[in-house]
Amino acid sequence: MSFDSFALDKRIMAGVTSAGYVSPTPIQIQAIPPLLAGHDLLGLAQTGTGKTAAFVLPILQKLLGLDLRDHKAARVLVLAPTRELALQIHENFTALGCKTGIRSAAVYGGVNQVPQVKNLRQATVVVACPGRLLDLMNQGLADLSQVDTLVLDEADRMLDMGFAPDIRRIVSRLTGKRQTMLFSATMPAQIRNLTREYLLDPVEVKAESSGQVEAISHVFYPVPAHLKGGLLEELLRVTDHKSLLVFTRTKHRAKSLSRKLESKGFASTFLQGNMSQNQRQEAMTGFRSGRYKIMVATDIASRGIDCDRISHVINFDMPDTAESYTHRIGRTGRARRSGEALSLITSEDAEQVRAVERILGESVERKKLGGFDYSAPGRAQSRTKPVRAASRKTSTSNTRIFMDRQDSRA
Ligand code: AMP
């Protein structure tokens, strides 16, 4: 199937071509026609399936059909859980709409609001995190009175992050008839409720698992907790990676693990919730450009990381839920490229391991890294003890625990 079958305006097709898209992904094939026909839509899809373009393209088409010459206010509102995701969606509108003259503005907290308000005044599409948008609305600085298209992206994450009341307040101010789309990676009861509240007779679409999950191979590395740091280091040395994302459970650990890796000669950076917007952007730009081959991140900070080059995701700490696992590995194998998901599992992770295998519908291969000393004692019994791996030039210590376990959650 090709993009031609959607009969999109040629200015939009120019954007599709310059983005390098050749054929639509499964979610795009399912979602674009009903959206073009004006239906509401419920999309069960995670990041990495091409879901952003699945709503951006029909929205651009709809906007080109309107007379926007005298427009004074936004027509499209996209709500997203994090600034990274908001920026990524905004960039998608800008890239795919590069020949349409349609302007998009990104609105998110943690930065000066003045430039955002200026952009907002000229934008037809507003991509916003709920908190900052509500702030601007309360100051009378965001006019949503003309919005007739609403997208709730990564709705499950927005609810997880406690945005439900903000979303409700924002949506209550949208008056008049509108087309609404809701995308979510999971479909818990609260999302079903939100769907009933905001969507009218929606068409339901679901990203096929082959769009993403099957492109990724999963491996578990059982390891005693005190050897996780050493095993990670060894895995990084033997894994042929382009860009690699490492997940930790806590903010403190993301930072200290990254620093530790840097001190061992790895080009590493980190992303966690305590960073300023400038620090985040510096880290993301460095990671996207390949200056840093490794990024260590927490779950929340990682939402919306859009980097085509990620070849591996390593769970240094197993996530608390199987849904988080799915979100994490959604960072690799993006748009049907292949990727690898490696997880360091300890005896404490038995429950999460079972939940992940349930959601994948298969048991995951357990591997032992050859040449790694799994019997090395912990720090209490011995300080560092170098282990020389056969056929590897670099010796490394595998007995250090990188971090303690008590730091705060991300
Ligand atoms: P998303 O799921 O929207 O975050 O998209 C994941 C990645 O796939 C992004 O880097 C998109 O630019 C890319 N992408 C989206 N649609 C296509 C397509 N039809 N062909 C190739 N890449 C795509």
Side-chain angles (χ1 to χ4, degrees), residues 3 20-25 28 46-53 88 92 306 308 334-337:
F3 278 100
Y21 300 173
V22 179
S23 52
T25 64
Q28 291 163 1
Q46 44 200 273
T47 302
T49 53
K51 71 171 162 62
T52 316
Q88 182 194 322
N92 260 269
D306 181 22
D308 286 344
R334 297 172 74 79
R336 288 179 290 161
R337 288 183 187 89

Side-chain angles (χ1 to χ4, degrees), residues 289-305:
S289 69
R291 184 154 51 92
Y292 304 117
K293 282 189 134 194
I294 299 168
M295 174 173 275
V296 188
T298 56
D299 284 296
I300 289 179
S302 79
R303 299 295 299 170
I305 289 178

Side-chain angles (χ1 to χ4, degrees), residues 223-277:
V223 61
H226 71 279
L227 296 180
K228 284 206 307 189
L231 181 61
L232 173 70
E233 209 181 301
E234 282 302 287
L235 281 170
L236 293 176
R237 291 193 201 284
V238 299
T239 308
D240 183 18
H241 56 268
K242 286 196 205 76
S243 273
L244 189 148
L245 194 53
V246 178
F247 281 98
T248 62
R249 196 170 284 150
T250 65
K251 291 188 268 201
H252 172 66
R253 192 182 295 216
K255 182 174 171 178
S256 45
L257 182 55
S258 172
R259 295 251 159 98
K260 193 81 202 171
L261 292 174
E262 260 186 292
S263 76
K264 302 269 178 174
F266 295 101
S268 172
T269 186
F270 61 95
L271 198 70
Q272 41 100 311
N274 286 349
M275 293 159 75
S276 71
Q277 185 58 18

Side-chain angles (χ1 to χ4, degrees), residues 108-178:
Y108 47 88
V111 291
N112 186 345
Q113 71 175 44
V114 177
Q116 290 187 355
V117 172
K118 195 163 161 251
N119 291 338
L120 198 57
R121 294 220 171 93
Q122 295 156 0
T124 308
V125 177
V126 176
V127 186
C129 296
R132 169 58 69 93
L133 179 67
L134 199 59
D135 229 25
L136 297 184
M137 288 167 76
N138 290 338
Q139 296 173 63
L141 297 172
D143 177 7
L144 301 181
S145 59
Q146 306 295 309
V147 166
D148 54 11
T149 305
L150 172 68
V151 182
L152 301 171
D153 196 16
E154 302 205 352
D156 50 351
R157 272 291 144 159
M158 287 203 280
L159 297 191
D160 282 354
M161 291 168 75
F163 281 133
D166 286 357
I167 295 174
R168 203 154 270 130
R169 276 184 212 115
I170 292 167
V171 178
S172 71
R173 302 213 206 151
L174 307 181
T175 48
K177 198 169 173 303
R178 62 160 197 269

